[in-house]
Amino acid sequence: MAKIAKLDDIVSLCKRRGFIFQSSEIYGGLASCYDYGPLGVELKNNVKKAWWKSVVQMRDDVVGLDCSILMHPLVWKASGHADKFADLIAECKKCNTRTRIDHLKEKLVPSAVEGDAEQAEQHTEHVSIDTAQAKLHDLSNKICPNCGMVGQFTEPMPFKLMFETQMGANIDDSMTMYLRPETAQGIFANFRNVLDTTRVKIPFGIAQIGKSFRNEVTTKAFIFRTREFEQAELEFFCKPGTDEEWYEHWKQQRFDWYIKLAHYAKACVDVEYSFPFGSGDWQELEGIANRTDFDLRQHQRGIRTLNKWFENDRDLSRIQLADEAKDYQAGPLSYFDDVQKHRYIPYVIEPSAGIDRSALAFLVDAYDEEEVRGETRNLLRFSAALAPIKVAVFPLVKREGMPEVAINIYNDLKKYFNCFYDEKGAVGRRYRRQDEAGTPYCVTVDGQTLQDNTVTVRERDSMEQIRISTGQLRNHFREKLDI
Ligand code: GAP
């Protein structure tokens, strides 16, 4: 049974072995932004590859897309983000910590239900930027999560979640733009383009992986919630009335994906994962939503708002979204079913995963410690698809021609798998370093290799060693790694 990792174990291993570093560390660090080091970038790329393979490559009904991060500001008016994408926060007067008010816990009274705040966390309520509304919240019985003070908060204030930037070199005519808070809107904005240029027919999906940005009030738990993160989103368009069926389909598909990649899946339900922090530990890993026809309808309104955009000096705050056309079902983002001769706005099922959050879940899942001959062995039991390095190649010693043979093997295998060559230090220590990096196989060239062309192949989890002839290595790993 694998050891349940503590978050500190993961953070320290990630830093020690070059998976993840704090951003701008040499300047004292930038809160809630992280950089992926040499092993981390391989892990993250593998998570993305596995997602893409399962959601796009292996399916005949999904196509891919890669949209720009900056989009026309009206996109965010139509999507609702410009008006609603703000949280209410309050500042503790004693310790000056700012907390989202839906994260504040009540001082315990007999009727108070534990875990309310965690629940609120999972179903984030984004409220309208309306200060009057903010005043309606009673914080007199709420506890500061940092210092424990009760009821000593400032008035709740809205906190903008979208990052703003300017487009245009001249301050006078520059335009406020937003870094996208979700990748999904790029997909909706390209729905027509994809329909017109491919042979897709409903039901079909459009998938995208890319960076999103949210000026989160509280960031937490390492890479679990950060201000810059990567999402892997699928918008699956279907006929209204079939949406429940597709919702169930995608829930199962996505659940199976996590289970397949996580060896232990210590806990993974709908799709939550038991992370080693927080009171209840259960945290959202991926949201699967039935977005109905909301987004496409909103963008049809957005398109109708374009003239107001120019009339109002391209100032989003002065613009009201145009009313929906009476014949919206036949609008520019509608779909024509040429069998039933019927036009409609499709419904959308959206499995939306976080790449960084998934990487954290896979790290937690893979982490293990065990006693081996009186020493602690730290290891990451990654599945082969996720392991940053698939095969490490060593000469037993740095003489007698062993390095030359090992380098030849390494040069051959690296054409097919991500490999690593190491000749420094005792071989036992080299094995341990690879265990900690999650490398499933190590190949060692020894004295016998020079006699009979066989090497030892050591398997990470069992530490078992077998002898294989060098000519069979490539096929052996192809089969074992299944990639
Ligand atoms: N398009 C729908 C959407 O964006 P969401 O529940 O806000 O829905 C989907 O986000 C997923 O993106 C989450 O389940 C999580 O994995 C990831 N995610 C969201 N905010 C994040 C953040 N601040 N840091 C890391 N991952 C985040």
Side-chain angles (χ1 to χ4, degrees):
M1 180 62 192
K3 181 183 185 265
I4 305 286
K6 293 195 208 68
L7 192 63
D8 285 351
D9 299 330
I10 302 290
V11 175
S12 116
L13 180 135
C14 282
K15 186 167 161 80
R16 191 167 70 241
R17 292 311 315 273
F19 276 92
I20 299 166
F21 309 116
Q22 176 84 60
S23 163
S24 321
E25 204 179 281
I26 58 166
Y27 286 94
L30 179 65
S32 96
C33 292
Y34 291 92
D35 299 339
Y36 287 77
L39 288 177
V41 68
E42 297 292 342
L43 170 65
K44 199 174 172 197
N45 282 343
N46 290 340
V47 174
K48 289 193 266 187
K49 262 191 247 164
W51 186 89
W52 197 264
K53 185 169 180 186
S54 144
V55 173
V56 184
Q57 189 183 332
M58 298 302 288
R59 302 209 40 133
D60 300 329
D61 54 359
V62 178
V63 293
L65 194 68
D66 183 22
C67 306
S68 67
I69 287 170
L70 297 175
M71 296 183 73
H72 193 294
L74 270 184
V75 166
W76 308 115
K77 186 80 188 173
S79 70
H81 290 91
D83 295 334
K84 294 207 184 74
F85 215 58
D87 286 320
L88 288 180
I89 59 161
E91 191 170 309
C92 171
K93 289 181 190 160
K94 184 171 172 230
C95 69
N96 298 333
T97 301
R98 293 173 159 193
T99 313
R100 265 167 51 177
I101 64 166
D102 61 343
H103 286 190
L104 289 174
K105 285 188 179 176
E106 290 269 316
K107 183 170 179 246
L108 271 188
V109 287
S111 60
V113 182
E114 276 243 50
D116 272 359
E118 282 303 323
Q119 291 233 325
E121 161 114 331
Q122 285 162 21
H123 305 286
T124 306
E125 178 201 355
H126 295 300
V127 292
S128 146
I129 309 175
D130 178 352
T131 358
Q133 193 187 340
K135 297 211 165 75
L136 296 176
H137 293 268
D138 176 14
L139 305 182
S140 58
N141 210 21
K142 301 279 184 180
I143 312 169
C144 171
N146 187 48
C147 69
M149 197 75 177
V150 179
Q152 292 299 308
F153 292 100
T154 58
E155 289 288 344
M157 48 198 160
F159 185 89
K160 277 192 191 181
L161 277 188
M162 279 204 293
F163 280 99
E164 291 180 8
T165 186
Q166 304 297 315
M167 187 183 257
N170 242 323
I171 290 181
D172 291 343
D173 61 12
S174 71
M175 176 164 66
T176 302
M177 307 285 289
Y178 303 91
L179 302 190
R180 66 180 178 201
E182 63 173 9
T183 60
Q185 296 305 326
I187 297 179
F188 297 126
N190 279 288
F191 174 68
R192 186 83 257 156
N193 282 340
V194 173
L195 267 189
D196 291 348
T197 55
T198 64
R199 297 213 173 120
V200 289
K201 280 196 187 312
I202 275 180
F204 77 94
I206 306 179
Q208 167 164 228
I209 298 179
K211 289 262 176 150
S212 292
F213 302 82
R214 294 181 195 173
N215 196 11
E216 302 276 10
V217 187
T218 44
T219 53
K220 84 171 185 192
F222 199 32
I223 53 170
F224 181 83
R225 175 172 294 118
T226 52
R227 299 204 165 98
E228 174 178 343
F229 55 96
E230 219 159 345
Q231 287 187 308
E233 298 200 290
L234 168 69
E235 307 303 321
F236 194 83
F237 301 93
C238 61
K239 195 171 174 182
T242 63
D243 46 317
E244 271 312 304
E245 203 180 297
W246 282 111
Y247 180 81
E248 290 306 320
H249 170 87
W250 280 108
K251 216 164 81 175
Q252 192 60 47
Q253 289 287 313
R254 299 299 305 137
F255 183 80
D256 293 347
W257 183 80
Y258 287 102
I259 296 292
K260 190 172 163 217
L261 289 173
H263 270 179
Y264 294 93
K266 286 160 198 150
C268 185
V269 169
D270 187 25
V271 175
E272 293 183 349
Y273 184 82
S274 172
F275 282 97
F277 53 82
S279 57
D281 284 356
W282 291 87
Q283 310 282 338
E284 178 184 301
L285 192 50
E286 167 162 350
I288 301 172
N290 183 344
R291 293 182 78 128
T292 66
D293 56 1
F294 176 80
D295 300 272
L296 291 178
R297 282 171 65 172
Q298 284 294 100
H299 285 300
Q300 289 197 152
R301 291 179 66 194
I303 301 166
R304 286 160 60 86
T305 313
L306 255 181
N307 51 355
K308 291 193 204 163
W309 168 249
F310 294 109
E311 284 162 18
N312 286 284
D313 244 359
R314 303 180 305 178
D315 179 353
L316 212 53
S317 64
R318 281 158 51 186
I319 294 171
Q320 276 288 93
L321 206 59
D323 289 341
E324 186 160 58
K326 289 208 167 49
D327 62 344
Y328 73 88
Q329 292 282 10
L333 302 184
S334 64
Y335 174 82
F336 184 66
D337 181 333
D338 52 14
V339 177
Q340 303 214 321
K341 308 284 178 233
H342 166 54
R343 203 170 257 290
Y344 60 91
I345 307 284
Y347 266 38
V348 175
I349 302 303
E350 179 197 64
S352 172
I355 295 293
D356 312 80
R357 200 172 284 186
S358 302
L360 179 59
F362 292 131
L363 275 163
V364 171
D365 198 74
Y367 187 90
D368 202 4
E369 283 173 20
E370 61 180 24
E371 286 297 304
V372 178
R373 290 184 288 277
E375 271 185 32
T376 305
R377 179 170 89 115
N378 289 326
L379 71 160
L380 289 172
R381 297 185 191 268
F382 281 134
S383 61
L386 294 181
I389 301 165
K390 313 295 182 200
V391 182
V393 184
F394 313 145
L396 182 64
V397 289
K398 255 197 314 186
R399 49 177 198 275
E400 295 162 32
M402 290 182 208
E404 289 75 6
V405 177
I407 285 170
N408 275 342
I409 292 173
Y410 165 70
N411 282 338
D412 180 49
L413 291 180
K414 77 178 179 188
K415 291 182 233 158
Y416 311 97
F417 321 103
N418 198 26
C419 294
F420 185 78
Y421 176 78
D422 188 7
E423 56 179 29
K424 291 195 189 72
V427 76
R429 286 183 65 85
R430 282 180 265 164
Y431 284 143
R432 290 289 186 272
R433 277 184 68 74
Q434 293 307 316
D435 288 343
E436 223 183 22
T439 307
Y441 295 101
C442 293
V443 169
T444 304
V445 169
D446 54 19
Q448 197 180 326
T449 315
L450 310 175
Q451 318 279 317
D452 64 4
N453 264 333
T454 62
V455 288
T456 53
V457 172
R458 175 208 187 247
E459 200 266 332
R460 176 197 64 206
D461 293 352
S462 63
M463 292 184 287
E464 269 172 23
Q465 300 194 10
I466 52 170
R467 284 206 86 84
I468 291 191
S469 89
T470 52
Q472 284 172 359
L473 281 174
R474 191 199 308 171
N475 281 344
H476 176 77
F477 290 130
R478 269 212 176 126
E479 197 183 302
K480 287 282 179 193
L481 295 165
D482 191 23
I483 44 178

